[in-house]
Amino acid sequence: MKNALVLGGGGFIGGHLAKRLKEEGFYVKIVDIKPNHEFWDHNLICNEYVQGDLRDPRIVEKAFEGRVYDEVYQLAADMGGAGYIFTGDNDANVMHNSALINLNVVHECAKNNVGRVFYSSSACMYPEHNQQDPNNPNCEESSAYPANPDSEYGWEKLFSERLYLAFNRNYKLNVRVARFHNIFGEFGTWMGGKEKAPAAMCRKAAETEDGGTIEVWGDGQQTRSFLHVNECVEAVLRLMRQDDFLGPVNIGSEEMVTINQLAEMAIKLSGKNIKIHNIGGQEFKDKYGFSCPVGVKGRNSDNKLYREKIGWEVSIPLIEGMKTTFDWINEQVKLQKNNG
Ligand code: NAD
């Protein structure tokens, strides 16, 4: 039996990944600061679930004890949606917490001779100046330098990518690095401020009465692409299990939409007649007490390198992923209402 360690497996992508690894027959251990996975029973996604703070080197040392791990997936990070990353209020925590986790994890991976380690970077590390034109953003892997991410979250990701690659060069640690572009789907955060745009749009459409209005932050013309978590997991495993290519490589969808188009999809799936109110500028500040956190004007995954190196590509249309996500969030909204 092969062993896999999923750090951050109590979270959204980590939970899906752990579940898949367990289904494949791996012995799966999860370590996460959360006491439980928010939606899944532990037996479904792992053999062992350990609550622990990976900022503490003693906890990370313990996490690797007892088994030699064939595959380690490092997904733990202090992160959230635009309302968490772009307001500036969480910058110090985001950088400090995630950097500490990565410094501890990479060290233990090298010390324990793990088979391979996957690190999840983000498209947020791409330079702001290449993402000003909503219709033509450049997120080719080679465009990363000179670096100029628009958030401290992105700077930490860039630092940590380099950290894992440096351990590869100096200590022969077998690493794989991917830059995720907006991963979404069922069994992820859908309320509370840390949810991402697809979940937020689905929740708003599910909660709003027929004839009502939902808010969309900014002018709604900013572009993004969104990849369903099932395809993300498949892409991660394919990257992890080939021998030659370390990355960094994009894992995302190339189906670019405006945020208003994304909201319209959620509205259509709700079957209701709902209007969009784009809120920004002073109106947003007066209502929320901080500037509207919309991020770069355009961002899209560029999958040329992944296609070339891995020979596979993502193919689920956004509307299909949005449908299963909307149905699940709609169910959560109903459950919450029924529970008072
Ligand atoms: P998530 O927040 O659901 O999962 C992260 C997990 O890390 C959480 O369960 C959290 O409890 C855990 N964690 C945080 N601090 C910890 C600590 N000190 N010790 C132990 N565990 C800790 O996020 P996700 O969407 O599943 O993202 C997984 C990874 O992918 C993250 O590194 C994230 O930065 C990266 N990423 C995600 C997206 C996306 O669209 N979801 C995009 C780009 C990059």
Side-chain angles (χ1 to χ4, degrees):
M1 193 185 223
K2 284 192 168 183
N3 298 308
L5 179 61
V6 184
L7 305 168
F12 171 51
I13 304 171
H16 281 268
L17 188 58
K19 185 165 174 285
R20 167 79 184 262
L21 291 164
K22 181 133 194 262
E23 282 160 9
E24 285 185 0
F26 274 75
Y27 180 93
V28 180
K29 176 175 176 179
I30 285 177
V31 183
D32 199 292
I33 199 166
K34 286 187 206 156
N36 296 303
H37 189 279
E38 207 178 337
F39 305 105
W40 277 323
D41 185 80
H42 293 165
N43 293 324
L44 187 70
I45 59 171
C46 62
N47 303 77
E48 202 183 338
Y49 187 105
V50 178
Q51 182 182 14
D53 185 343
L54 297 166
R55 290 171 299 183
D56 181 342
R58 291 162 302 184
I59 300 282
V60 182
E61 188 174 22
K62 264 189 101 182
F64 284 79
E65 278 172 7
R67 282 171 193 274
V68 179
Y69 288 96
D70 302 280
E71 298 182 3
V72 176
Y73 295 88
Q74 193 331 62
L75 298 129
D78 189 359
M79 58 103 59
Y84 188 74
I85 285 169
F86 294 121
T87 58
D89 293 344
N90 306 302
D91 285 353
N93 285 344
V94 164
M95 295 189 88
H96 179 259
N97 293 341
S98 296
L100 274 185
I101 294 171
N102 285 311
L103 287 163
N104 291 337
V105 168
V106 78
H107 171 76
E108 288 301 325
C109 282
K111 201 175 96 188
N112 289 282
N113 292 317
V114 302
R116 260 173 213 184
V117 55
F118 171 83
Y119 172 62
S120 52
S121 180
S122 163
C124 287
M125 46 59 62
Y126 282 115
E128 188 174 9
H129 53 255
N130 287 338
Q131 300 173 85
Q132 296 298 0
D133 177 355
N135 297 314
N136 204 17
N138 179 9
C139 293
E140 203 178 292
E141 288 80 352
S142 60
S143 72
Y145 298 97
N148 182 26
D150 72 332
S151 65
E152 302 300 0
Y153 169 76
W155 278 105
E156 190 282 328
K157 287 293 187 191
L158 201 54
F159 162 75
S160 291
E161 282 186 3
R162 299 187 67 99
L163 177 69
Y164 283 87
L165 292 166
F167 268 72
N168 171 263
R169 291 194 301 277
N170 295 163
Y171 296 109
K172 305 268 179 288
L173 182 65
N174 205 346
V175 304
R176 300 287 180 275
V177 179
R179 295 169 178 164
F180 290 160
H181 289 243
N182 295 315
I183 313 304
F184 77 103
E186 306 82 85
F187 304 100
T189 305
W190 59 279
M191 59 174 285
K194 281 194 165 186
E195 68 278 19
K196 308 283 180 50
M201 300 308 166
C202 290
R203 188 200 68 238
K204 289 177 188 186
E207 285 175 343
T208 303
E209 300 291 324
D210 199 15
T213 302
I214 62 170
E215 267 182 8
V216 173
W217 292 4
D219 65 9
Q221 298 310 308
Q222 64 275 32
T223 53
R224 295 289 186 278
S225 68
F226 302 92
L227 182 70
H228 191 269
V229 65
N230 290 351
E231 291 210 299
C232 171
V233 166
E234 183 66 36
V236 167
L237 295 178
R238 284 174 185 263
L239 171 65
M240 188 72 159
R241 291 169 185 171
Q242 51 74 44
D243 289 331
D244 311 318
F245 177 56
L246 275 51
V249 65
N250 292 326
I251 289 185
S253 159
E254 291 178 321
E255 185 184 344
M256 191 169 78
V257 293
T258 67
I259 296 298
N260 274 359
Q261 285 170 336
L262 182 74
E264 278 155 15
M265 275 189 194
I267 291 170
K268 192 172 165 211
L269 290 164
S270 77
K272 299 178 205 164
N273 180 17
I274 294 175
K275 289 196 184 64
I276 293 173
H277 172 55
N278 288 110
I279 180 169
Q282 198 56 43
E283 188 191 0
F284 187 97
K285 227 175 180 170
D286 290 346
K287 182 162 179 189
Y288 292 101
F290 55 89
S291 299
C292 186
V294 287
V296 292
K297 293 205 175 71
R299 176 170 291 153
N300 192 11
S301 187
D302 179 326
N303 295 348
K304 270 195 301 292
L305 186 63
Y306 190 96
R307 268 196 293 274
E308 182 191 314
K309 297 288 185 186
I310 313 293
W312 181 80
E313 62 183 318
V314 302
S315 61
I316 298 179
L318 177 58
I319 187 68
E320 269 183 38
M322 280 294 279
K323 169 140 184 39
T324 50
T325 305
F326 178 83
D327 289 346
W328 180 76
I329 290 179
N330 200 24
E331 207 48 47
Q332 304 308 303
V333 168
K334 279 187 197 151
L335 282 174
Q336 205 190 36
K337 260 192 198 154
N338 292 343
N339 295 338

